[in-house]
Amino acid sequence: MIIQALVFYVFAAVTIAAGLMVITARNPVHSVLFLILAFFNAAGLFVLMGAEFLAMILVVVYVGAVAVLFLFVVMMLDINVEKARQGFKKYLFIGGAIGLVLLVELVLILSSVVSTDVSVVASVPIPAIDDVHNTRALGQVLYTKYVYLFEASGMILLVAMIGAIVLTLRKREGVRRQVIADQVNRSREEAVEIKKVSSGSGI
Amino acid sequence: MAELWEGYALPTIIIVAQIMAIVGPLLIAVAYLTLAERKVIGAMQLRKGPNVVGPFGLLQPFADAVKLMMKETIMPSGANRIVFIMAPMLTFILSLVAWAVIPFGEGLVVSDINVGILYLFAISSLGVYGVIMAGWASNSKYPFIGALRSAAQMVSYEVSMGLVIITVLMCVGSLNLSDIVMAQKGDYGLLNWYAFPLLPMFVIFFISILAETNRSPFDLPEGESEIVAGFMVEYSSMSFALFFLGEYANMILMSAMAAILFMGGWLPPFDIAPFNWIPGPIWFSLKIAFVLFCFLWVRATFPRFRYDQLMRLGWKVFLPFTLFWVLLTAGVLVGFDLLPAAH
């Protein structure tokens, strides 16, 4: 148990330190790399809680895909750190207010001041962890009780994706695109012409 | 004291021993894979390949290693030092940690976790960071282009790889790698392996792992005729060697993944007398070697893809096809009542 506690504190401390570095690092690329470190340690915390499926999905989705594209964009932008810091005082109040709201919400939930209705939780029986490991348990709840919410979140993502495509798609004039079907469908008749050339006279 | 020994010290020693037992042979395999690559491609191009150092050139990998270690490590003056040094280490470490969940035989696995295949997928999707960090930290044009190419390419092919894995998982009903292998055990031996019922998925998976490991014909991140050596331009000596080791260890890892998902892992092709005398790990190695041979065969055969063709293949061909196949497999499994029983 001691080892587990130690590992927990290591993961937790690194997560918080990395989180702080995200907002204090001078170089934006370093910020993203610290963000990745924070994700990774959060995944470690999930593993300690026995939620190995969530941990792996966190790594696959956030670290493996989202953060890669994020890093990709940040690397391409030439961000002037000094300029970005100019409005610091102006945004301090709004940023602080949002942070405070989130903090209060978290405290309210964790201290169960806002108690969850027991009957609602009881109507969704979560199978005991001994019978079913958590991957299956997640699937059983997600695709039965919460199927509409699940589908709705899928819908939102689809709309976002289509929106992004619509915003960035533009037809440019004068671009010769490769149409592989046309190339494959070309027949011998339209591609080559065989001429009989008698020697010495040319075509 | 006894509790400390049995509770912590002994398991630690056992785990370290297991890690050594995997990493040692793996590094030797990597060394000989480089030799095998040069020999196989040499044979395909009617050359001899390396044959001077030692009998049949067998000591060539060690000569190469010594040469690399003797070289000077060069740090470009404009480079971001810490990230520059971390990138090759990250590539190498990631190519090793994934082996923790690979089952070499029945029960022969360091960590038999429930979500083994997801762990493998997660680690392989992290491989892109080594490349992208190297390209950015070098602070130079060609490495940066190489890194951008690699990031887009690996993210694109992960999508179809994920769908292929989902197809296999639907047939198995478990994310555990040992379960995936055991699900391919049946009365028909080799015909029970998923390579046959899911043949199109196997082909797509093979092509995707070529792209995922930046191997020819998808080696655009390091395409030497266009961008010198891509993200590795500024690297020399051991830092270059770590990239090299990482790339080859990743190739072996991906081949192991193909062997587990589609070729029945450690199972013999036929469960009859001469075949099942040979122990499982040897069958597993033979299957890995077969997939690796295909890697080399492809490299000797095909010209490099153009970048837009690579993207077209990933997004417009593989993604719709794998999606269709996931639906088809799900339909067949439900329709013919073939769904695997709950574990």
Side-chain angles (χ1 to χ4, degrees):
Chain A
M1 281 326 270
I2 288 177
I3 297 276
Q4 212 163 18
L6 276 178
V7 173
F8 168 77
Y9 283 115
V10 168
F11 277 136
V14 176
T15 309
I16 292 171
L20 279 176
M21 288 305 288
V22 173
I23 51 173
T24 52
R26 292 200 148 260
N27 192 327
V29 173
H30 289 175
S31 289
V32 180
L33 292 176
F34 276 115
L35 183 68
I36 292 159
L37 185 64
F39 280 147
F40 218 83
N41 283 283
L45 290 175
F46 271 132
V47 171
L48 279 183
M49 286 163 64
E52 72 270 5
F53 182 76
L54 280 181
M56 292 305 151
I57 289 297
L58 182 71
V59 174
V60 171
V61 175
Y62 284 93
V63 184
V66 174
V68 172
L69 298 178
F70 201 50
L71 191 62
F72 197 106
V73 173
V74 171
M75 271 173 20
M76 304 267 266
L77 296 175
D78 194 17
I79 299 174
N80 188 338
V81 182
E82 293 309 312
K83 215 172 177 179
R85 287 188 183 223
Q86 269 173 8
F88 184 71
K89 287 222 178 80
K90 203 167 75 186
Y91 295 114
L92 185 64
F93 178 71
I94 303 176
I98 294 174
L100 198 67
V101 170
L102 282 177
L103 184 70
V104 169
E105 281 178 351
L106 277 177
V107 169
L108 282 182
I109 290 174
L110 291 180
S111 63
S112 43
V113 171
V114 187
S115 63
T116 39
D117 194 353
V118 179
S119 61
V120 173
V121 178
S123 70
V124 192
I126 297 166
I129 213 85
D130 302 328
D131 308 341
V132 176
H133 57 78
N134 68 59
T135 313
R136 186 174 291 275
L138 266 177
Q140 279 174 354
V141 181
L142 206 57
Y143 289 98
T144 51
K145 172 75 182 174
Y146 296 112
V147 64
Y148 293 118
L149 292 174
F150 184 72
E151 291 292 324
S153 60
M155 233 19 174
I156 293 170
L157 287 176
L158 181 68
V159 170
M161 190 176 90
I162 293 172
I165 292 171
V166 168
L167 285 177
T168 51
L169 186 71
R170 58 189 172 127
K171 277 261 184 287
R172 277 186 295 180
E173 294 295 318
V175 177
R176 288 155 59 94
R177 289 190 185 279
Q178 182 183 21
V179 185
I180 290 185
D182 285 1
Q183 292 178 341
V184 174
N185 282 334
R186 239 152 72 111
S187 65
R188 183 192 161 93
E189 284 71 39
E190 55 191 290
V192 277
E193 194 180 345
I194 295 181
K195 291 255 166 125
K196 267 262 185 281
V197 182
S198 51
S199 57
S201 62
I203 298 172
Chain B
M1 204 59 205
E3 192 200 352
L4 188 72
W5 169 253
E6 279 182 11
Y8 298 114
L10 195 63
T12 312
I13 292 170
I14 291 173
I15 290 171
V16 169
Q18 284 173 330
I19 292 171
M20 289 299 165
I22 290 178
V23 172
L26 177 65
L27 290 182
I28 293 172
V30 166
Y32 277 98
L33 178 58
T34 61
L35 180 70
E37 173 167 39
R38 295 164 72 179
K39 281 281 188 191
V40 166
I41 294 178
M44 285 176 181
Q45 296 171 346
L46 300 179
R47 296 183 282 113
K48 276 203 163 74
N51 61 350
V52 177
V53 191
F56 309 107
L58 280 178
L59 296 177
Q60 183 72 40
F62 299 101
D64 287 342
V66 170
K67 186 197 82 170
L68 278 168
M69 276 183 241
M70 292 296 165
K71 297 244 173 181
E72 182 191 355
T73 307
I74 298 167
M75 177 80 63
S77 58
N80 193 310
R81 296 181 77 93
I82 298 171
V83 181
F84 187 80
I85 296 173
M86 260 171 60
M89 293 201 254
L90 188 75
T91 306
F92 183 61
I93 291 169
L94 284 176
S95 66
L96 294 186
V97 290
W99 287 89
V101 295
I102 301 278
F104 293 87
E106 197 157 6
L108 269 181
V109 49
V110 176
S111 172
D112 196 18
I113 58 175
N114 278 334
V115 288
I117 189 70
L118 271 180
Y119 174 81
L120 270 187
F121 192 55
I123 296 295
S124 72
S125 70
L126 292 182
V128 66
Y129 282 109
V131 176
I132 207 169
M133 280 163 67
W136 176 77
S138 298
N139 199 7
S140 152
K141 288 192 228 37
Y142 294 130
F144 194 63
I145 297 173
L148 293 185
R149 284 183 173 189
S150 168
Q153 172 181 332
M154 288 170 91
V155 171
S156 306
Y157 278 82
E158 244 157 48
V159 180
S160 50
M161 244 176 89
L163 286 168
V164 171
I165 291 174
I166 288 175
T167 318
V168 173
L169 293 182
M170 282 194 305
C171 302
V172 179
S174 168
L175 296 166
N176 182 299
L177 289 169
S178 300
D179 286 348
I180 292 174
V181 173
M182 290 319 280
Q184 297 176 57
K185 194 171 186 167
D187 301 332
Y188 306 105
L190 174 109
L191 292 175
N192 276 89
W193 299 353
Y194 288 137
F196 294 98
L198 300 174
L199 184 64
M201 289 288 104
F202 183 40
V203 174
I204 287 181
F205 186 77
F206 179 69
I207 298 173
S208 297
I209 60 177
L210 287 178
E212 196 69 10
T213 49
N214 293 331
R215 288 292 297 181
S216 172
F218 305 113
D219 53 349
L220 292 124
E222 47 192 286
E224 59 279 327
S225 55
E226 303 155 26
I227 50 173
V228 197
F231 59 94
M232 295 193 285
V233 168
E234 304 289 348
Y235 283 89
S236 60
S237 176
M238 274 320 280
S239 51
F240 175 76
L242 284 182
F243 269 126
F244 209 70
L245 288 173
E247 182 185 330
Y248 281 81
N250 255 332
M251 275 167 68
I252 303 179
L253 174 72
M254 289 293 171
S255 308
M257 210 161 145
I260 289 170
L261 286 175
F262 290 102
M263 296 161 77
W266 66 81
L267 300 174
F270 300 103
D271 204 5
I272 47 172
F275 293 105
N276 55 17
W277 290 343
I278 301 171
I282 293 184
W283 279 121
F284 188 51
S285 321
L286 284 176
K287 287 167 188 174
I288 294 177
F290 171 72
V291 182
L292 284 173
F293 175 76
C294 294
F295 265 82
L296 307 181
W297 190 10
V298 165
R299 181 171 170 194
T301 313
F302 291 109
R304 185 177 298 134
F305 259 57
R306 216 172 57 206
Y307 200 73
D308 62 317
Q309 290 172 334
L310 172 93
M311 283 296 158
R312 177 184 172 275
L313 184 70
W315 289 104
K316 292 189 181 170
V317 180
F318 282 180
L319 180 61
F321 185 77
T322 43
L323 262 176
F324 163 72
W325 205 269
V326 167
L327 283 180
L328 183 74
T329 313
V332 168
L333 287 176
V334 174
F336 292 89
D337 209 20
L338 293 169
L339 277 175
H343 284 271

